[in-house]
Amino acid sequence: MLRPTSGRVLIAGGAGFLGSHLCERYLDMGWQVICLDNFYTGHRNNVRHLLQHPNFELVRHDIVEPYLAEVDLILNFACPASPVHYQSNPIKTMKTSVLGTMNLLGLAKRVGARYSHASTSEVYGDPQVHPQPEGYWGHVNPIGPRSCYDEGKRAAETLIFDYHRMHSLEVRVVRIFNTYGPRMAPDDGRVVSNFVVQALRGEDITIYGDGSQTRSFCYVDDLIDGILALTTQDEIIGPVNIGNASEFTVLELAEKVLKMTGSRSRIVRRPLPQDDPKVRRPDLTLAQKHLNYQPRVSLDMGLEKTIAYFSAHLKA
Ligand code: NAD
Ligand code: UDP
């Protein structure tokens, strides 16, 4: 049984968007936090406010190389998550997912730590089942431009479950659906930050394809609550979907952002990237049943906070 209020946690990818929120939450709960990051998409600024905390340590390290530390818990959130970034060096993305995960699983085995992993709704690919339950095996192109990420994450899940079966390693796997909020990088490239930044700068809002594809957007605080609930409890190991089941078209998102920012940006069309999933919405039954998980932040509320963050951040 892992007590939520003590111990040492290693957070890989801790200087990224989600990782930095996790570092903060674990420090608040009284843990000692080692934040590992190679700063590929993350930034020191995301954890700058934690650097003076006596229980916080920031280490520049690439998880493709082994790392040794005595810890009770490992959270692996190290991997570029935006299509633009994970496709810019696809071989590195695959190495991070597979070799990086193997290294951290090896460490967990060696020191007897629990291992909790950030998997993704991308394991369902361009889904033919809607909404997506965890039992759906997915519809993934193994050789396309998104495969480095999708198949990398699928291979990571395979490794995690093999370590669990072979070595009785304590594991947790969360499949994260599109999450947004403060500390996304302005140049991250994912849709929410792109639209908000474009609207605030008065630049064109770039809709890929006709904008009829859907996503279900989760505010970061809800997601972090779900991850902490999964990681701490002992009833299930996953994979468990965490996200928000309210589904919107990309065009609806663009119109909402325009209205909420009062921006005069124009909507322009760009080609739809290859293999871009047409729909996505989590089936949250498992998370509701076992983790009592219920997202609380509506898209309007979350966008308001995100717009406020980027307004301040872009001026600074
Ligand atoms: P992010 O790009 O902000 O964070 C990823 C972090 O990992 C960055 O700080 C980056 O520098 C670091 N990193 C990348 N490769 C590394 C390596 N080889 N060694 C050490 N550090 C490395 O993205 P995010 O949204 O915070 O995503 C975090 C995790 O959650 C990722 O594993 C991602 O696949 C997963 N995820 C996120 C979402 C989402 O909507 N935010 C959805 C599904 C899955
Ligand atoms: N998208 C868009 N304009 C952008 C960025 C993304 O229309 O500037 C679309 C993208 O084609 C996809 C959806 O928004 O259909 C979500 O893209 P994102 O990169 O955020 O994440 P994905 O869910 O595809 O991994």
Side-chain angles (χ1 to χ4, degrees):
M1 170 73 182
L2 191 75
R3 284 179 297 138
T5 52
S6 68
R8 296 186 81 196
V9 57
L10 186 158
I11 303 179
F17 162 47
L18 298 179
S20 63
H21 287 272
L22 284 168
C23 289
E24 219 168 65
R25 290 287 284 272
Y26 272 91
L27 286 173
D28 285 349
M29 292 191 298
W31 286 66
Q32 289 180 44
V33 174
I34 302 175
C35 168
L36 285 194
D37 210 294
N38 70 350
F39 303 119
Y40 183 62
T41 50
H43 202 281
R44 217 179 140 77
N45 281 341
N46 285 337
V47 290
R48 190 173 291 284
H49 60 301
L50 307 177
L51 290 174
Q52 300 311 318
H53 195 295
N55 289 341
F56 184 75
E57 194 180 338
L58 174 63
V59 181
R60 180 192 284 267
H61 179 82
D62 191 315
I63 61 162
V64 167
E65 305 300 331
Y67 185 78
L68 284 182
E70 285 291 336
V71 290
D72 306 289
L73 173 65
I74 296 172
L75 296 172
N76 186 2
F77 278 67
C79 186
S82 162
V84 181
H85 295 299
Y86 70 64
Q87 289 174 27
S88 76
N89 188 344
I91 296 169
K92 176 71 188 192
T93 299
M94 186 59 106
K95 279 186 177 172
T96 293
S97 268
V98 179
L99 301 178
T101 297
M102 272 179 87
N103 283 331
L104 294 180
L105 285 166
L107 175 63
K109 175 172 170 259
R110 181 166 170 170
V111 301
R114 179 173 288 189
Y115 177 91
S116 185
H117 190 84
S119 189
T120 168
S121 52
E122 281 284 319
V123 301
Y124 304 121
D126 186 6
Q128 293 175 319
V129 170
H130 191 66
Q132 295 79 54
E134 292 83 350
Y136 176 48
W137 290 356
H139 181 233
V140 175
N141 177 355
I143 57 166
R146 296 176 87 96
S147 312
C148 58
Y149 185 73
D150 300 12
E151 296 290 16
K153 290 283 187 181
R154 287 166 67 98
E157 287 198 10
T158 305
L159 279 167
I160 294 161
F161 279 81
D162 284 334
Y163 266 77
H164 175 66
R165 282 185 290 259
M166 273 189 80
H167 303 300
S168 306
L169 196 74
E170 278 202 58
V171 299
R172 302 290 182 268
V173 175
V174 55
R175 289 187 179 152
I176 301 170
F177 282 67
N178 297 69
T179 301
Y180 67 96
R183 300 210 199 106
M184 291 187 93
D187 64 350
D188 177 272
R190 281 175 280 182
V191 68
V192 175
S193 46
N194 263 14
F195 287 1
V196 170
V197 169
Q198 288 163 343
L200 291 174
R201 286 180 173 154
E203 294 168 358
D204 292 347
I205 305 271
T206 53
I207 288 200
Y208 303 161
D210 63 6
S212 65
Q213 69 271 36
T214 69
R215 293 294 186 271
S216 306
F217 299 104
C218 182
Y219 186 67
V220 61
D221 290 355
D222 283 333
L223 181 92
I224 300 293
D225 286 344
I227 290 165
L228 293 179
L230 174 69
T231 301
T232 307
Q233 57 73 54
D234 287 324
E235 203 175 303
I236 52 164
I237 64 171
V240 182
N241 292 338
I242 301 284
N244 186 317
S246 307
E247 187 178 4
F248 298 85
T249 65
V250 164
L251 181 59
E252 282 169 339
L253 175 71
E255 285 166 346
K256 223 179 235 305
V257 169
L258 277 177
K259 195 165 158 214
M260 291 179 72
T261 51
S263 168
R264 306 177 78 141
S265 289
R266 293 178 315 147
I267 287 181
V268 297
R269 308 284 157 135
R270 296 282 177 268
L272 187 68
Q274 188 190 327
D275 298 337
D276 197 283
K278 285 178 267 312
V279 291
R280 181 179 294 152
R281 171 154 58 104
D283 179 330
L284 294 173
T285 312
L286 260 187
Q288 277 154 3
K289 183 169 167 220
H290 296 281
L291 310 176
N292 204 15
Y293 172 74
Q294 191 62 56
R296 283 190 277 264
V297 184
S298 67
L299 182 57
D300 279 55
M301 284 159 62
L303 280 178
E304 208 171 290
K305 293 168 195 267
T306 308
I307 290 166
Y309 168 79
F310 278 114
S311 299
H313 190 86
L314 295 176
K315 276 183 210 130

